[in-house]
C-alpha cells in the first residue's frame, strides 16, 4: 500500500508545498530499459463454473469452462469461477470464485474482490501493525490523493506523472501483458496503467478496504475506466493470490517501507512473476551515501515503525530473492528501483 514516512509528513494544515521544478521535460531520471531474453507468454482471463461437489477440470474443460487467473491465497490453486468472462469490474462483481482444493469461496463487495486468507471469517480478527492499520482508516484513505501524497515532493518524489513515465520505461518488456499494482492505495497508478492502454489487464491490489473503496469511487467518476480491464482485489502482498509465473509486471509505489516483512513480499513478487517479468518499486530511503552522520542518527531514531531501507539493502533484498538486472534512480530520499526475474 502506498504510504508515506511519518517523519516526512506534517498535519495537513501545516504542509508547505514547495515550488519544485517539474521533471517532465528536463528530468535527470532516464531508467535503463530491461531486456528480456525470454519469450513472454500472455494469459487470458477466462471464467468457469462453481459447483458444490468436487470439480473435475477435465470434464469442465469439455463444457467450455476453464480455471481463472486468480488463485487461492491458501492453496495457490487456480480459482474456479462462476459468472461472466472478463477482468473488468462489472464481470468480477457478478462472479463467484471457489478453490477446488480447500473449497473456500470468495466474493466481491464494495467494488473489490476479497482474496485474503481471512476473507469471510466472522469471529476471528487479525490485528495488523500500526503502519498497516493507519492506511485502513477511512480518513487517511480519503486524504491520500487530497494532500497526503502531494507532500512526498518534499522528500524528492518527482510527482505521479513523472514517476509513471519512469515506470513505463522500465515496464517496456511487459507491454501487452498483465500488471499487478501491489499496495495500490487509492489506485493513483493503477488508473494510469489502465488508461495507458499498454497492458491487457491491470490488477489494483491492496490490503486496505477503504483504499480500495476510494479507488472504486475514482473509477466510477471516470467513464473511460468503467469497462477497461481493471480489477480491484484485496490481498496481502506476502500472500499474493496468483499462480507462480503468471504475472508480467509488478508495481509497488511508495510501499516497501510499509510492508511488515519486505523479504516475504519481494519473495512473493518473484514467485508470481513470469520469466522475464519486471518489478518496479519506489520508497523512502533511510539515508544515502551523501547523508551526514548526524542526519543518519536522527533518521535511525525517528522511523516510527516504518521499515526504511538503504539502497544497498534494497539491492541485496532483490538479488537474494532471485531477481536480476537491478538498477535504481535516487533523488534526495526518493528511490525508484527495478529488477527482473531471470
Amino acid at each position: 500500500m502506498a504510504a508515506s514516512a511519518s517523519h516526512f509528513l506534517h498535519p495537513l494544515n501545516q504542509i508547505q508545498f514547495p515550488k519544485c521544478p517539474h521533471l517532465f521535460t528536463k528530468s535527470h531520471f532516464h531508467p535503463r530499459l530491461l531486456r528480456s531474453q525470454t519469450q513472454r507468454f500472455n494469459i487470458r482471463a477466462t471464467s468457469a463454473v462453481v459447483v458444490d461437489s468436487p470439480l473435475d477440470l477435465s470434464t469442465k474443460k469439455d463444457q467450455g469452462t476453464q480455471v481463472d487467473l486468480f488463485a487461492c491465497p491458501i492453496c495457490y490453486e487456480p480459482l474456479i469461477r462462476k459468472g461472466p468472462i472478463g477482468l473488468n469490474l462489472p464481470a468480477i462483481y457478478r462472479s463467484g470464485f471457489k478453490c477446488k482444493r480447500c473449497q473456500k469461496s470468495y466474493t466481491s463487495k464494495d467494488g473489490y474482490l476479497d482474496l485474503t486468507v481471512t476473507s469471510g471469517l466472522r469471529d476471528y480478527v487479525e490485528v495488523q501493525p500500526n503502519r498497516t492499520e493507519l492506511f485502513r482508516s477511512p480518513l487517511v484513505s480519503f486524504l491520500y490523493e487530497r494532500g497526503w501524497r502531494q507532500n512526498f515532493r518534499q522528500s524528492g518524489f518527482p510527482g505521479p506523472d513523472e514517476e509513471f513515465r519512469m515506470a513505463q520505461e522500465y515496464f517496456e518488456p511487459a507491454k501487452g501483458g498483465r500488471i499487478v499494482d501491489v499496495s495500490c492505495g487509492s489506485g493513483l497508478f493503477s488508473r494510469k496503467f489502465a488508461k495507458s492502454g499498454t497492458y491487457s489487464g491491470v490488477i489494483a491490489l491492496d490490503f486496505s478496504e477503504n483504499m480500495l473503496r476510494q479507488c472504486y469511487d475514482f473509477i466510477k467518476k471516470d467513464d473511460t475506466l468503467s469497462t477497461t480491464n481493471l480489477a480491484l482485489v484485496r490481498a496481502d502482498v506476502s500472500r499474493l493470490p496468483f499462480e507462480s509465473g503468471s504475472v508480467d509486471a509488478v508495481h509497488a509505489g511508495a510501499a516497501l517501507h510499509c510492508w511488515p516483512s519486505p523479504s516475504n513480499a519481494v519473495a512473493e513478487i518473484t514467485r508470481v512473476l513470469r520469466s522475464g517479468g519486471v518489478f518496479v518499486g519506489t520508497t523512502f530511503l533511510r539515508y544515502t551515501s551523501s547523508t551526514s552522520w548526524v542526519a543518519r542518527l536522527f533518521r535511525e531514531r525517528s522511523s516510527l515503525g516504518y521499515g526504511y531501507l538503504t539502497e544497498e539493502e534494497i539491492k541485496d533484498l532483490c538479488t537474494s530473492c532471485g531477481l536480476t538486472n537491478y538498477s535504481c534512480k535516487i533523488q534526495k530520499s526518493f528511490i525508484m528501483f527495478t529488477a527482473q526475474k531471470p
Side-chain angles (χ1 to χ4, degrees):
M1 166 176 59
S4 134
S6 295
H7 67 282
F8 292 116
L9 299 178
H10 309 280
L12 289 177
N13 63 354
Q14 300 178 15
I15 292 177
Q16 295 181 354
F17 296 95
K19 296 181 180 179
C20 297
H22 292 286
L23 302 180
F24 299 89
T25 58
K26 297 183 180 181
S27 172
H28 293 290
F29 293 91
H30 298 291
R32 175 173 60 84
L33 296 180
L34 301 178
R35 298 298 180 185
S36 170
Q37 302 297 322
T38 311
Q39 183 179 1
R40 175 163 55 81
F41 297 90
N42 291 333
I43 306 171
R44 297 184 179 276
T46 56
S47 68
V49 176
V50 175
V51 295
D52 293 332
S53 58
L55 296 173
D56 182 349
L57 293 184
S58 61
T59 59
K60 293 298 174 185
K61 184 175 181 180
D62 294 337
Q63 298 175 20
T65 59
Q66 298 179 8
V67 294
D68 199 75
L69 164 70
F70 300 115
C72 176
I74 299 172
C75 309
Y76 289 141
E77 285 285 323
L79 294 177
I80 305 303
R81 176 175 177 176
K82 179 180 180 181
I85 297 174
L87 191 64
N88 55 73
L89 294 179
I92 291 177
Y93 185 79
R94 296 196 300 270
S95 297
F97 299 82
K98 190 171 186 178
C99 177
K100 176 187 176 185
R101 176 173 294 179
C102 71
Q103 299 295 302
K104 186 176 176 68
S105 297
Y106 302 90
T107 56
S108 297
K109 63 177 182 179
D110 298 333
Y112 63 85
L113 175 63
D114 193 340
L115 293 180
T116 58
V117 173
T118 56
S119 173
L121 296 186
R122 297 180 179 178
D123 300 318
Y124 176 76
V125 177
E126 194 165 77
V127 179
Q128 299 293 326
N130 290 336
R131 61 194 181 200
T132 301
E133 291 298 326
L134 175 65
F135 294 95
R136 298 177 74 184
S137 158
L139 178 60
V140 174
S141 300
F142 177 81
L143 294 176
Y144 189 74
E145 292 188 40
R146 298 175 174 91
W148 188 292
R149 224 287 180 175
Q150 287 83 340
N151 197 38
F152 287 17
R153 283 186 178 273
Q154 298 183 37
S155 300
F157 279 67
D161 290 337
E162 177 68 1
E163 293 166 49
F164 172 71
R165 185 196 65 77
M166 294 164 62
Q168 284 288 82
E169 290 192 19
Y170 281 130
F171 283 136
E172 183 67 25
K175 185 176 181 180
R178 285 205 176 92
I179 184 171
V180 179
D181 187 17
V182 299
S183 299
C184 68
S186 55
L188 177 62
F189 289 98
S190 305
R191 303 194 306 273
K192 289 180 179 292
F193 290 133
K195 294 183 75 170
S196 72
T198 306
Y199 308 98
S200 60
V202 178
I203 296 95
L205 183 149
D206 203 284
F207 189 77
S208 169
E209 304 92 328
N210 283 304
M211 283 292 189
L212 291 169
R213 292 185 185 109
Q214 279 296 312
C215 184
Y216 182 65
D217 287 343
F218 283 127
I219 292 172
K220 286 194 300 181
K221 296 175 182 178
D222 190 337
D223 293 337
T224 64
L225 289 172
S226 59
T227 58
T228 58
N229 288 334
L230 172 62
L232 303 186
V233 175
R234 180 173 183 249
D236 187 340
V237 69
S238 294
R239 199 77 184 175
L240 294 174
F242 306 101
E243 282 192 281
S244 298
S246 63
V247 173
D248 298 278
V250 174
H251 176 261
L256 185 146
H257 57 280
C258 294
W259 294 340
S261 174
S263 60
N264 285 344
V266 176
E268 267 294 88
I269 289 169
T270 304
R271 179 186 67 80
V272 302
L273 280 174
R274 63 165 177 84
S275 179
V278 182
F279 172 39
V280 173
T282 61
T283 187
F284 295 90
L285 290 173
R286 187 162 71 245
Y287 50 74
T288 66
S289 58
S290 61
T291 306
S292 68
W293 69 269
V294 176
R296 291 189 185 198
L297 182 62
F298 173 76
R299 293 178 185 179
E300 289 281 5
R301 294 184 176 183
S302 61
S303 62
L304 299 177
Y306 289 93
Y308 306 125
L309 303 179
T310 64
E311 190 274 328
E312 293 79 10
E313 289 174 323
I314 294 173
K315 180 179 180 179
D316 192 29
L317 177 60
C318 290
T319 54
S320 68
C321 289
L323 298 174
T324 60
N325 294 335
Y326 173 89
S327 67
C328 68
K329 295 292 180 181
I330 297 173
Q331 176 172 290
K332 297 173 65 174
S333 295
F334 165 80
I335 180 173
M336 175 175 280
F337 62 92
T338 184
Q340 195 168 25
K341 185 172 180 178

